[in-house]
Amino acid sequence: MSSRLVGVGVGPGDPELVTVKGVNALRAADVVVVPVMDTGEQGRAEATVVHYVPEDKVVRVVFALNERTDRARREAAWDAAGERVAQLLTAHGSVAFATIGDPNVYSTFTYLAQTIGELVPGVVVETVPGITAMQDLAARSGAVLTEGTEPLTLVPVTAGASVLKDALAGPGTVVAYKFGRQAGEVAEALRETGRIDDAVWGASLGLPGESIRPAADLDGAPLPYLSTLIAPARRDGGRGGKL
């Protein structure tokens, strides 16, 4: 039988937001891989997974998760992680990889799956969707993501604040991921485009340190790396105005 690698989205942190299909996939796998940084602390994916599977079924694999400047180090970490998961697939046949959010949205699983495809001929790769941070923040803050014909733009601020500013200048709702280290630039972009009044940001959603605040409160101080921002579309046409 072919070995099977399943990327499972486990949501943004709240264990109750893992889907039934996700829980079943985690429990059905022989082992569950969770990504960790080389500093060794428990990651958000692992903290979620252990609510549903025994700890002795969980295997930590080191990734350079926040490495953006040293390409060689990042590539070496991906290669080493791929080799480790390939070994697990050979030994067990069925491996789940738990990723926060959704495995097809800015996920480490994408890089792992590409590597495994080269290392393990015939491997079957599947994904199980997960709740994203923007969905969770919208639910917790009351921000409406889209109405009628409004577009929705998702921007990783690691691509640069100018990319966010361009999105904010356009129509529809803008969601920004990974903006904590550039909180000051994000606040400036919101003010320059007149989008700050209705915008909201959140971090550690569903966790003890959860913070959800109006974007107008941003004072330029750094925020957690995985902070999420929602700048809702301008809505001045009344109920159903965008239909």
Side-chain angles (χ1 to χ4, degrees):
M1 294 179 63
S2 298
S3 53
R4 185 178 303 272
L5 175 65
V6 185
V8 181
V10 297
D14 184 346
E16 292 185 342
L17 290 181
V18 184
T19 67
V20 173
K21 187 170 185 176
V23 171
N24 288 340
L26 294 172
R27 290 175 174 170
D30 296 321
V31 295
V32 178
V33 170
V34 294
V36 295
M37 293 190 292
D38 53 12
T39 47
E41 66 266 24
Q42 184 185 59
R44 196 173 298 185
E46 180 180 0
T48 302
V49 164
V50 295
H51 283 265
Y52 298 105
V53 300
E55 290 188 16
D56 60 6
K57 188 176 176 176
V58 177
V59 177
R60 290 180 161 196
V61 174
V62 174
F63 283 80
L65 297 176
N66 294 338
E67 180 58 70
R68 301 196 59 82
T69 57
D70 190 335
R71 183 180 179 86
R73 178 173 176 267
R74 185 173 67 241
E75 295 281 355
W78 289 348
D79 289 343
E83 292 284 355
R84 177 65 176 124
V85 175
Q87 294 170 359
L88 291 170
L89 282 164
T90 300
H92 300 282
S94 176
V95 174
F97 180 89
T99 178
I100 59 171
D102 183 280
N104 293 305
V105 180
Y106 300 129
S107 170
T108 306
F109 181 74
T110 303
Y111 315 125
L112 176 66
Q114 292 174 354
T115 304
I116 292 299
E118 298 171 357
L119 294 176
V120 186
V123 63
V124 176
V125 178
E126 301 174 352
T127 58
V128 177
I131 301 296
T132 61
M134 64 177 169
Q135 292 170 288
D136 196 15
L137 178 57
R140 294 175 187 276
S141 67
V144 176
L145 285 171
T146 56
E147 290 184 358
T149 57
E150 294 171 353
L152 172 65
T153 303
L154 176 59
V155 177
V157 181
T158 47
S162 62
V163 177
L164 173 63
K165 188 179 296 186
D166 289 344
L168 289 169
T173 294
V174 177
V175 175
Y177 276 0
K178 306 177 183 179
F179 78 91
R181 295 172 184 169
Q182 295 167 273
E185 295 172 72
V186 168
E188 181 180 352
L190 287 165
R191 291 190 176 95
E192 287 183 6
T193 56
R195 302 288 296 271
I196 198 165
D197 289 341
D198 297 326
V200 61
W201 70 268
S204 301
L205 302 174
L207 301 174
E210 175 180 278
S211 181
I212 299 175
R213 303 283 297 278
D217 290 352
L218 290 172
D219 59 5
L223 301 174
Y225 175 70
L226 291 178
S227 295
T228 298
L229 172 86
I230 298 175
R234 298 179 177 92
R235 299 182 179 115
D236 52 13
R239 186 176 64 180
K242 295 295 182 71
L243 293 176

